[in-house]
Each structure stands twice: as structure tokens, then as C-alpha cells.
Amino acid sequence: MRKLGVLIALFLVFGLAPGVFGAEFAFHGDMNHRFAYTNHNEWIKGSDQQGLLQNGSVNDFFGEIKYRLWFEAATNEKNVKGVFATEIGGLRFGERGSAEFSGDQIRMEVRWAYVDFQCPWSDNKNRFKVGLQPFKVNPYLWSETVAGINLDGAVGNIDYQLAWQRGYEVDVSTKEDGESDVDSFLARIFTKPTDGMKAGVFALYQTYDDDDDDPADFSPITSRGYQIKKFTQRNEAPDNRNPPSIDILTLGVDGSYAKNNFFVNWDVMYQTGDIEDIAFDDTEFSGVVQSGAFDLSAYFAHFDLGYKMGKAKFTYTFWYASGDDNPNDRDFDAFITTDIDRADSISIMEGNYADDNYFTEDVSLLDKGLILNKLALDYSATDKTTVGAAILYMLTAEDIQYTDNSGRSQKEDEIGIEVSGYMKYMLYKNLEFAVNAGYLFAGDAMDAFEVDEIKNGSSDEDIFIASSRIRYKF
């Protein structure tokens, strides 16, 4: 922890003496303390058997911390800005090797490290970001930290974005002939055609080629790991098998409209391409195992409809993420994200405040897609207090196929109904106390995740998660 202390001391020195260096310095923080209770600890990430449902409750209560501290240095003219951030992520109170007695374990990571500067040949509307940076294509496709180069600019009333990002670098000392890096290329334009409306179109091309046709070297992928960032992770030794080759194009339109207390947001995307040199292992569910090349054709559609009435806001959210309907063919029909963090559901996604503990961060369940319906109410009770409630009805877009404990084949799509609520209160200007809870009345599709002794074709276990946080941001 000595290194952290020295780093903070330097930040403070710089922050207290901006004029000395002819630049402006700032030190920011997000110091988040989270607590959670659940009746099925084995369901959420952090347990030894994540994503399963045992017979009866597996109760657990835990606390954790997640800190993010960042330093910014900018010239007085704002032409150049440098950002460096560290993160201590999701350390549970008493966690062995992280936050146990004496608390002297070192668990820090570099979160951001980039320079943001104005293009020398243009005005401040055209800027480059170079380095490890927050990167957003679309919140339902890719919105996370990644290293690369990003150009944001404007021509007249049209904004544009061009980017190259590298998610995985091949070691040139060990790579095979023809093996490439995992690269992504983005082109986007965005405009405001009318008062209150924003609309954009984009194209994202992602590619990687391992040039290895030997099935013995194919990296095994399961439906639980149906995401680009998981596809392209090289296996640990001794396997060290290659990620699958990808050649994927995503085309999308998104935007929003707000006027007279009414608002709507929309996102529509279509994916095409192919995924090759893959060993797709769905033994856990359909029992199918296939190796080789697969064609990708998938789509996603989302919208929010909302209305503000005084201190209240009503929002209806719908999305449809396509799923794969036939594990025996050579087509991938399920929409595939790159790296996102969805918090729309407390019981399924990252909606609980201890958000390093979840079943999925994705818009889908497995490779079966998702149909989500959510009706939410948010109410600003006072200047310091906000409360809200929501009800969700969720189904997979295609049936989850599995075998129950009697050897019968089952096909189910109903995830269930979730009822949730929250309260946020500002103890001080920058210090928030919040609680939330969600209860999933499980549908029969959740039977696919139950242990064999209760896997009988119908759901047997509901899921309850309650959480709170004390969060200081500055």
C-alpha cells in the first residue's frame, strides 16, 4: 500500500499547486462501499459454483469495497489533457489474499491511462484520445475500457467518431504464421435533425485470424461465455489454445427524442460475419458439441418510452436480443456483445449495488437471447431522497434446451417476473447512502440452471438479492 500512499501524495501536491507548472491539475475519486444479502450465493459471481441453483437457500451476507482514483492534468488552454486512474475492484471484507487481517495485500489495477488532445489543424471540436481509455460504441454492444486511438470531431452540425481499438495483442515471439491481433474499427456519425432529437448511425468491424485449422488447437467455448471478450481470451497454460477467428460487422442506428416531458430512446443493430476455428461445447444444456466454422446473423432492438410528471418519471423499457434456435446447425443466430455492463435486473444482471457479483452482465442469457419488458417508476421525494420501483418480465428469445433428472428433453423460455425497489439518500453533498432489492419469481427456464436433483422441468427456486452502498464521489 506504500505505492498507493506515494501516488495520492503526489496527486495532492499537484492539485494544490496548479499554477506552478503552467497547467491545471485535478484529483478525483469514487469510493464505493457495498453490502449484499442473497438467498442463492451460488447463483452470482464470486462463489465457487457461479450460475447454479442449489436445492434450498444458500444464504450469504458480505461487504466489499471498490475504489477508483484518478488524476487529470491539462494545459490552461485545454488543448491537452492527460488522465491516469487506478482501481481497487470488488474486494470483499475478509477476502483471503485481498482484504483479510492486517489488510496489506496489494490488489490494484490500471483503469485508465490516456492523453486527450485537440487536433493541431482544427478547433476544439476535433480531439484525439490515445491510450487505455473508456470507450463506447453503444451501451448494448460495447461500453468499457480498452486501449487504442479514438478521434471525436464535428463537421458543421454532424458529429463523427473514428476509432481503432486493440482488445488482444498476439505475442510475436510465439505466434504462428498468419496469426493476427484482435482489432476493432469503428465509424460513427451523429446529428441533431430537429429540436430535442439526436440520431446516429455506426459500423463496427472486428477481426482476428489465428490461421490454425487443427481442431486440437481450437479453444473451447460454451454458451455461458458467449461474448467477444471471452471468445478472444487465450487459454491459460498448459492448454494455451488459440481463440477462434472472427470476422464480424455490426451495423447500428441509435438515438433519442425528448420534448414536453415525453422521451424515447432507441437502438437497432444487425450483425453479420463468421466465427471460425471454434470448438463450441454446449454439453451442459443441449448436449451438442461442434467444431469448425459458423456463420453469424443476429440482431438487437431496444427502446425506452417515458414520461415525466412533476417529481415522478415513468419508463417502459423493451429489448429483443436474438438467440440461437438450433444448436445442431452451422449458424450462430444469437446477438453477441463485446464488453458491456448491464444493470437492468437485480436478480440476473448487475443491478445490485455489489455489482461485481452477478449472473450475467450481458443483454442475453447464454446464447438464447433475451426478451425484456420493464416498467419503472422513479420519484424525487425530496432534494436529497429518490425512491423507485420496477417490475420486469423476462424470457429467452429461443428455448433453452436441456435434459432433466428423469432423462426427458425439456425446452423452456420463461425466466420469470422480477419485482424490485430502491431508495437513495444524500447524507452529504458528495456522500450517498442507497439500498435496493429484487425478487425473481422464477419461470420454468430457470430449471435449466438447477442442480440435477431438482431439475425436473419446472422452477423450484426463486432468487432474492438485497444490497446497499455508502458511496463518496469527488
Side-chain angles (χ1 to χ4, degrees):
M1 300 301 288
R2 184 180 302 170
K3 293 180 180 179
L4 177 60
V6 173
L7 187 62
I8 292 175
L10 289 173
F11 287 171
L12 292 175
V13 169
F14 289 146
L16 292 173
V20 175
F21 303 96
E24 297 179 359
F25 298 87
F27 180 48
H28 302 280
D30 183 349
M31 309 174 80
N32 201 353
H33 315 81
R34 301 95 68 88
F35 305 87
Y37 166 82
T38 178
N39 68 334
H40 277 291
N41 182 58
E42 77 283 13
W43 173 247
I44 59 178
K45 187 177 180 181
S47 57
D48 293 333
Q49 292 183 303
Q50 182 219 347
L52 296 177
L53 289 171
Q54 301 286 347
N55 186 10
S57 297
V58 183
N59 300 309
D60 190 28
F61 170 79
F62 57 88
E64 63 181 29
I65 63 172
K66 188 171 186 177
Y67 280 19
R68 184 175 297 170
L69 305 170
W70 67 98
F71 167 68
E72 297 180 0
T75 61
N76 292 330
E77 297 81 13
K78 307 294 185 182
N79 293 331
V80 182
K81 180 175 72 172
V83 179
F84 177 73
T86 63
E87 181 171 288
I88 305 170
L91 304 187
R92 288 196 179 188
F93 291 11
E95 182 178 352
R96 185 173 182 178
S98 299
E100 54 185 306
F101 287 114
S102 298
D104 56 359
Q105 295 78 25
I106 298 174
R107 292 290 298 273
M108 296 184 64
E109 64 179 272
V110 176
R111 180 64 179 176
W112 303 323
Y114 66 93
V115 172
D116 175 352
F117 62 94
Q118 176 184 324
C119 298
W121 61 83
S122 68
D123 58 23
N124 199 42
K125 293 181 179 180
N126 299 274
R127 301 185 67 89
F128 278 105
K129 288 182 182 177
V130 182
L132 184 64
Q133 60 190 276
F135 179 64
K136 180 179 177 181
V137 178
N138 180 280
Y140 299 92
L141 176 65
W142 190 0
S143 182
E144 252 293 355
T145 296
V146 68
I149 300 175
N150 189 86
L151 171 62
D152 290 292
V155 177
N157 63 348
I158 297 178
D159 296 332
Y160 69 88
Q161 181 183 8
L162 299 172
W164 160 69
Q165 307 290 354
R166 176 158 291 172
Y168 175 76
E169 169 82 12
V170 171
D171 183 352
V172 295
S173 66
T174 61
K175 77 174 185 177
E176 302 292 335
D177 291 339
E179 186 179 6
S180 64
D181 304 301
V182 180
D183 287 323
S184 301
F185 304 91
L186 172 69
R188 163 189 283 280
I189 59 172
F190 207 76
T191 188
K192 299 178 180 179
T194 62
D195 182 36
M197 177 178 286
K198 300 178 182 179
V201 297
F202 65 86
L204 175 68
Y205 175 63
Q206 298 171 281
T207 180
Y208 166 77
D209 185 4
D210 74 354
D211 198 32
D212 187 345
D213 298 326
D214 185 356
D217 293 332
F218 293 174
S219 181
I221 301 296
T222 71
S223 56
R224 287 182 181 264
Y226 193 77
Q227 198 173 34
I228 295 248
K229 74 170 183 179
K230 296 176 182 177
F231 274 14
T232 54
Q233 289 174 346
R234 182 179 294 274
N235 282 14
E236 299 291 337
D239 290 340
N240 202 34
R241 286 182 282 188
N242 295 333
S245 297
I246 61 171
D247 189 32
I248 299 174
L249 175 65
T250 303
L251 304 173
V253 296
D254 50 20
S256 63
Y257 176 77
K259 196 169 185 179
N260 298 329
N261 295 323
F262 170 80
F263 63 91
V264 58
N265 308 305
W266 63 86
D267 306 89
V268 179
M269 290 173 276
Y270 174 72
Q271 290 180 329
T272 185
D274 54 69
I275 301 174
E276 299 178 350
D277 306 329
I278 183 176
F280 192 75
D281 186 345
D282 198 37
T283 304
E284 181 182 4
F285 297 100
S286 66
V288 174
V289 180
Q290 290 200 80
S291 295
F294 299 81
D295 293 326
L296 174 67
S297 179
Y299 58 94
F300 175 87
H302 154 265
F303 67 83
D304 298 315
L305 291 176
Y307 187 77
K308 296 179 181 179
M309 184 183 299
K311 295 182 178 181
K313 181 178 72 172
F314 300 89
T315 308
Y316 170 66
T317 297
F318 170 87
W319 83 55
Y320 183 100
S322 64
D324 194 79
D325 63 345
N326 185 356
N328 293 290
D329 63 20
R330 290 287 178 174
D331 296 325
F332 277 171
D333 302 314
F335 184 77
I336 181 169
T337 62
T338 298
D339 192 3
I340 58 173
D341 300 285
R342 296 307 311 173
D344 306 82
S345 164
I346 292 177
S347 61
I348 301 292
M349 303 172 192
E350 296 185 63
N352 82 83
Y353 293 136
D355 55 12
D356 284 286
N357 305 271
Y358 53 84
F359 173 74
T360 182
E361 59 185 357
D362 212 344
V363 296
S364 301
L365 251 69
L366 308 176
D367 62 339
K368 300 306 176 187
L370 184 66
I371 303 172
L372 180 141
N373 296 272
K374 181 176 182 178
L375 184 61
L377 166 65
D378 301 279
Y379 182 73
S380 298
T382 70
D383 291 340
K384 294 184 176 182
T385 306
T386 305
V387 297
I391 183 169
L392 295 83
Y393 180 53
M394 296 174 285
L395 308 94
T396 54
E398 302 294 342
D399 291 337
I400 300 177
Q401 303 178 35
Y402 66 99
T403 302
D404 67 17
N405 57 10
S406 299
R408 295 171 299 184
S409 295
Q410 301 285 353
K411 293 183 178 182
E412 301 290 350
D413 65 356
E414 187 177 23
I415 300 167
I417 297 174
E418 178 185 303
V419 179
S420 62
Y422 76 89
M423 185 277 290
K424 297 179 180 180
Y425 179 73
M426 299 303 298
L427 296 168
Y428 296 97
K429 182 179 179 180
N430 297 330
L431 184 65
E432 177 197 77
F433 171 73
V435 295
N436 73 0
Y439 191 98
L440 178 69
F441 297 91
D444 286 344
M446 297 299 292
D447 182 56
F449 302 99
E450 295 176 358
V451 295
D452 288 344
E453 63 181 285
I454 57 171
K455 189 177 291 186
N456 54 17
S458 61
S459 62
D460 297 284
E461 297 294 332
D462 295 338
I463 299 171
F464 174 69
I465 301 176
S467 65
S468 64
R469 71 183 177 202
I470 299 174
R471 188 177 194 179
Y472 177 44
K473 298 178 69 175
F474 59 91

